[in-house]
Amino acid sequence: MALDLGGRILRSRTVAALASPHGIDRYLTQINPMLAAHEVRARITDIHPEVSAPGAPRVATVTLQPTSTWRGHRAGQHVSVGIDTGEGRRTTRVFTVSNTESKPGEPLTITVRAHEDEHATPYSISKFLTERATVGTLVHLSQAEGDFVLPDRVPEHILLISGGSGITPVMSMLRSLQRRTHRGKVTFLHWAPSADRQIFADELDEIRRQGHGVDLHILHTADGAPYLSPALLEKLVPGYREVPTWACGPASLIEAAQAAYDGTESLRVEYFKPPRTAGVAGGEMAFARTGKSVANDGATILDQAEAAGLTPESGCRMGICFSCTTNKSSGRVRNVLTGETSELPDEQIRICVSTPEGDCSVDL
Amino acid sequence: MTTVENTGNRRLSPEELDAFGAEMEAIRQRIVADLGEKDSAYIYDIVKKQRAFELAGRALFYLPVVGWVPAVACLSISKILDNMEIGHNVMHGQYDWMGDPHLNSRMFDWDTMAPAENWKYGHNYMHHTFTNIVGKDRDVGYGVLRMDEDQKWHPYYLGNPLYAFLLMTFFEWGVAMHDLEVDELVAGRRTWAENKEIGARIWRKVKKQTMKDYVLFPLLTGPLAPLTFAGNFTANIIRNVWTFNIIFCGHFPAGVATFSQEECEDETQGHWYYRQLLGSANITGSRTFHIMSGNLSHQIEHHLFPDLPARRYPEIAEEVREICERYGLSYNTGPLHQQLLGVFKKICKFALPDRKKPAAAEVRSAPALEGVAA
């Protein structure tokens, strides 16, 4: 109660007016980084290795105790994680929350596979989280975001499809369904390279043994398991095109799923990485502020700017965090997530998911 | 028309300008490659100190009589740090590379009447791009004062010293209003419609600033409210006087060059650096003095490299000075009193109509212009 009242006072208009123009959080953080009225920060309280097979990238589940400002999450949502990885720089990347749906202030977990990230200086966040971070490390969070979630009334039969570390949002859904004691049927298809690279292996074994309405199929491609196709889906889930389906994984899996569900409205997808639908090369990509320009090679504006030696601000690199938003003064751009093009003069675009089509000029 | 020749500076040939520009660019790239932990730790430390002074200042107002002077001192220091070493520099994008939204030029706002967004246009764009180009850089006289002989004299300018005094005292209001370009509005070169959004932003910010310093914080001290009100007012004035003096020493002391619009058309990068150098002036002083001035005591380095963290300016200064010596360019620097005296003389001198120049001076300057037109 007392905490709640304190929070209400800290979030009041009077306090905001007193702390103007910096905001109350700027003062609270000087006292204790875990004090916040609006922002979300968290301390790492546990790092649990999921995969440490020789030759395979490490995977770890990181438990975070957030500030009381955390509003909780729905299964399938993601969160921006910002970490000071050294050299005085903060890097931000997006990770799916992997635990069951959380309530305000409750701990959350993210499950992270280490991979090289050439754009993170000096250290990739996923490598930092799996190899360097320790209990007590402070991270900056956004609130949970994303529409890739289960409805409140879950249909009688649902199909979950995931590939690789795309299992995390789907696992959060499955865990939440079990906690909600969902009585319907869940078919869960998951593709992984091999058994020793399987994330959540023990828990999946447990689910397979107990059943409880979960029909689990783990397909290891190294063992010659077939890839996603209409025929395979029809065999495992007869009439699958009518079954509400959630799919998350690498672009190839999502594209295969989209082809298999073409013409239906049953499929909801979450890209694990934005699809690299290459833009159209040609024309000139101009960076107005620095006076530089390059021949448009079809890559995203962020990539082209970096290749030209500029260091524009960026975060998630997948169109979620908006930290790379920049003014485009002229030219047509294509949003690589939606395929939409726009050519309004002076529009704000996210350069990480925009490719120029012909001549284009941005304020960088 | 240019006033470079009156400053005792040599004009550089196009080749020399290119070489000069390349040397400056090399400094910039070396510093950019070296940015890291030390710079971020520094600015976080300054932010921490600023917050501590602010909290101390606000708290000391609860101690009647004995607390008042220290409260005003702490609050003044806090506001000066906030505006100079933090606000001005963060809004130049000096710390954007850190990825901290609170130290990002797009998000930051400062503890003064001028809204960040308006100021960034007038200052970062207009002033830093067109530095000391008479007729383009609106910071030459701020549309109020006559600070250069290329500004035509008018009896209005007899009030130059008075306007300067008022501008100094209410500097934060002056900076806020600056963006409305009232002189341009009066002259009919600007429409009311263009000012609508800018004016709305000023109004919102003024309400917030006034509310906290002149209503809420005084009320919070109960019966001491009038004292707190007076204390906040005094702290704002002290900050105004300080920032005005530091800023006026940056471009208006004796020996600073101004430029004409014609000579800056199709300007090369080398000439841009050259203009930034000759159009700015430094102030010598202690480390604390530099921090309290937001390192604008290194105005020359700031104008050469506006987006490099200001704490780097002292180290860069050594190198810039050495380069200036080699190219035969003056490096305008001096202690605060000397630079202030130069500013004061200029304010008074340009209040009066120009005395007729001796014809010989114009003849003498003519050969120096040869080979520079390109």
Side-chain angles (χ1 to χ4, degrees):
Chain A
M1 262 317 261
L3 260 179
D4 193 41
L5 182 67
R8 285 233 303 271
I9 291 171
L10 286 177
R11 278 185 280 277
S12 69
R13 284 178 61 181
T14 311
V15 168
L18 290 170
S20 167
H22 301 306
I24 189 64
D25 281 340
R26 289 295 85 199
Y27 296 88
L28 294 175
T29 188
Q30 302 288 345
I31 302 165
N32 179 346
M34 288 299 283
L35 281 179
H38 303 280
E39 295 166 17
V40 192
R41 291 182 281 270
R43 275 207 195 285
I44 295 178
T45 54
D46 185 53
I47 301 172
H48 169 73
E50 295 281 352
V51 171
S52 44
R58 288 169 67 92
V59 180
T61 292
V62 179
T63 307
L64 301 165
Q65 175 55 56
T67 46
S68 58
T69 42
W70 172 248
R71 293 201 286 260
H73 84 284
R74 298 178 66 182
Q77 287 192 305
H78 50 71
V79 63
S80 289
V81 180
I83 300 187
D84 302 315
T85 51
E87 291 189 3
R89 288 171 167 86
R90 183 190 304 176
T91 313
T92 304
R93 290 290 180 273
V94 173
F95 296 98
T96 315
V97 184
S98 53
N99 60 329
T100 50
E101 16 194 33
S102 65
K103 292 200 178 69
E106 283 187 352
L108 61 146
T109 65
I110 52 174
T111 302
V112 182
R113 164 176 289 163
H115 61 86
E116 298 296 338
D117 178 352
E118 59 194 295
H119 300 293
T121 10
Y123 217 78
S124 121
I125 283 220
S126 61
K127 287 195 87 159
F128 184 89
L129 281 170
T130 48
E131 294 170 10
R132 289 207 169 182
T134 54
V135 167
T137 298
L138 188 80
V139 308
H140 303 266
L141 296 182
S142 67
Q143 296 289 357
E145 287 156 356
D147 313 322
F148 184 70
V149 291
L150 291 177
D152 289 331
R153 286 178 70 101
V154 180
E156 185 54 32
H157 182 195
I158 64 167
L159 175 53
L160 304 176
I161 298 175
S162 65
S165 48
I167 193 173
T168 49
V170 179
M171 199 65 187
S172 178
M173 290 178 181
L174 193 62
R175 288 166 170 172
S176 301
L177 285 175
Q178 291 187 314
R179 196 163 77 173
R180 284 195 211 170
T181 58
H182 173 65
R183 289 175 194 282
K185 181 178 174 191
V186 180
T187 308
F188 181 14
L189 309 184
H190 176 71
W191 275 266
S194 58
D196 63 349
R197 295 191 178 196
Q198 181 58 56
I199 305 175
F200 308 130
D202 295 344
E203 191 174 346
L204 291 172
D205 278 345
E206 186 67 25
I207 290 170
R208 195 202 316 269
R209 262 203 310 278
Q210 295 191 349
H212 286 313
V214 181
D215 180 19
L216 180 65
H217 301 270
I218 301 215
L219 300 119
H220 290 140
T221 46
D223 305 336
Y227 206 54
L228 188 148
S229 68
L232 178 74
L233 286 175
E234 193 57 49
K235 191 178 121 199
L236 297 175
V237 190
Y240 73 91
R241 285 166 64 87
E242 308 302 321
V243 180
T245 303
W246 282 259
C248 178
S252 59
L253 183 85
I254 297 302
E255 277 154 22
Q258 279 170 332
Y261 282 82
D262 194 27
T264 79
E265 286 184 358
S266 310
L267 181 68
R268 265 136 288 200
V269 300
E270 177 91 317
Y271 282 105
F272 167 56
K273 256 187 187 174
R276 287 274 157 231
T277 46
V280 187
E284 187 185 75
M285 179 66 241
F287 304 107
R289 196 164 2 129
T290 47
K292 292 190 177 173
S293 68
V294 294
N296 167 27
D297 64 3
T300 62
I301 296 174
L302 177 58
D303 282 343
Q304 297 199 42
E306 284 173 340
L310 307 180
T311 49
E313 200 189 324
S314 71
C316 67
R317 307 188 77 93
M318 53 196 288
I320 289 169
C321 72
F322 288 79
S323 51
C324 69
T325 304
T326 303
N327 188 61
K328 183 211 71 185
S329 45
S330 67
R332 181 157 60 160
V333 292
R334 176 182 294 273
N335 181 322
V336 298
L337 299 177
T338 61
E340 285 168 11
T341 60
S342 61
E343 48 191 326
L344 293 172
D346 282 318
E347 61 178 331
Q348 300 287 311
I349 58 165
R350 287 165 287 163
I351 57 173
C352 70
V353 290
S354 297
T355 57
E357 304 225 305
D359 291 345
C360 184
S361 176
V362 296
D363 182 27
L364 283 177
Chain B
M1 207 184 329
T2 176
T3 38
V4 169
E5 54 278 19
N6 298 341
T7 62
N9 271 293
R10 197 166 89 67
R11 287 179 163 269
L12 302 183
S13 70
E15 295 74 29
E16 282 178 307
L17 278 178
D18 283 348
F20 174 75
E23 292 204 44
M24 291 298 157
E25 201 47 36
I27 295 178
R28 180 191 156 71
Q29 281 173 9
R30 201 193 64 231
I31 301 288
V32 166
D34 187 50
L35 293 179
E37 198 77 54
K38 268 191 250 166
D39 303 276
S40 76
Y42 172 81
I43 194 66
Y44 281 133
D45 180 54
I46 295 288
V47 168
K48 197 166 189 162
K49 289 197 166 90
Q50 183 267 320
R51 302 286 191 258
F53 274 114
E54 182 174 4
L55 291 174
R58 302 288 186 197
L60 280 166
F61 279 118
Y62 286 91
L63 295 181
V65 195
V66 284
W68 198 83
V69 171
V72 171
C74 285
L75 200 54
S76 305
I77 294 171
S78 151
K79 283 173 180 275
I80 286 169
L81 284 174
D82 177 279
N83 289 182
M84 306 293 268
E85 187 69 329
I86 303 168
H88 170 269
N89 292 334
V90 165
M91 287 192 283
H92 262 290
Q94 293 183 359
Y95 299 96
D96 279 7
W97 56 272
M98 285 169 56
D100 182 338
H102 297 289
L103 294 175
N104 181 285
S105 59
R106 284 195 296 135
M107 328 265 194
F108 198 87
D109 203 354
W110 52 355
D111 185 5
T112 177
M113 296 294 178
E117 212 171 321
N118 292 354
W119 180 82
K120 277 184 286 187
Y121 178 81
H123 180 84
N124 287 9
Y125 172 57
M126 296 299 280
H127 169 58
H128 272 270
T129 312
F130 307 114
T131 312
N132 281 27
I133 301 178
V134 179
K136 285 205 100 172
D137 179 3
R138 295 188 37 80
D139 282 24
V140 178
Y142 293 93
V144 180
L145 304 173
R146 180 168 181 252
M147 297 302 287
D148 192 89
E149 61 200 8
D150 288 351
Q151 289 172 283
K152 203 170 169 291
W153 187 80
H154 182 277
Y156 159 86
Y157 289 118
L158 286 170
N160 233 21
L162 175 69
Y163 311 146
F165 178 78
L166 290 173
L167 182 59
M168 172 176 81
T169 314
F170 301 103
F171 194 52
E172 63 171 329
W173 294 93
V175 175
M177 298 305 157
H178 186 45
D179 297 305
L180 289 171
E181 304 191 10
V182 175
D183 53 322
E184 294 287 300
L185 204 66
V186 172
R189 288 187 294 266
R190 194 177 168 86
T191 64
W192 284 98
E194 284 177 88
N195 268 0
K196 212 174 153 198
E197 202 181 316
I198 297 168
R201 277 201 290 261
I202 296 175
W203 177 236
R204 277 198 299 274
K205 185 74 189 289
V206 163
K207 270 197 294 190
K208 282 187 188 170
Q209 291 292 106
T210 313
M211 180 57 95
K212 77 167 177 168
D213 274 347
Y214 300 128
V215 180
L216 287 175
F217 274 113
L219 282 180
L220 277 178
T221 50
L224 299 170
L227 281 174
T228 312
F229 180 97
N232 290 353
F233 180 77
T234 312
N236 279 327
I237 299 289
I238 291 173
R239 181 268 323 271
N240 288 351
V241 171
W242 175 259
T243 50
F244 171 92
N245 281 298
I246 295 298
I247 288 162
F248 268 60
C249 285
H251 296 291
F252 304 126
V256 171
T258 53
F259 299 81
S260 69
Q261 299 192 34
E262 298 77 47
E263 72 185 311
C264 298
E265 272 172 27
D266 302 319
E267 188 180 43
T268 61
Q269 194 186 31
H271 190 271
W272 186 87
Y273 275 120
Y274 171 82
R275 175 162 57 84
Q276 300 299 335
L277 169 78
L278 298 185
S280 312
N282 281 7
I283 317 167
T284 53
S286 66
R287 188 178 133 82
T288 310
F289 172 76
H290 292 315
I291 293 173
M292 292 302 284
S293 72
N295 272 299
L296 292 180
S297 47
H298 292 98
Q299 189 74 244
I300 294 176
E301 288 71 28
H302 174 57
H303 262 269
L304 293 169
F305 312 108
D307 57 351
L308 292 184
R311 69 174 284 272
R312 299 291 192 140
Y313 295 157
E315 82 179 74
I316 295 171
E318 312 265 322
E319 236 174 306
V320 171
R321 231 182 148 139
E322 185 271 323
I323 293 170
C324 286
E325 267 168 40
R326 268 195 283 119
Y327 284 82
L329 301 171
S330 68
Y331 183 90
N332 195 331
T333 185
L336 185 63
H337 62 86
Q338 177 195 314
Q339 301 295 61
L340 277 178
L341 189 67
V343 173
F344 181 70
K345 278 186 184 165
K346 228 179 221 188
I347 291 172
C348 294
K349 179 184 161 193
F350 290 118
L352 301 170
D354 301 324
R355 269 178 251 157
K356 270 218 157 31
K357 280 189 209 165
E362 291 184 29
V363 175
R364 205 170 47 232
S365 70
L369 289 161
E370 271 175 36
V372 186

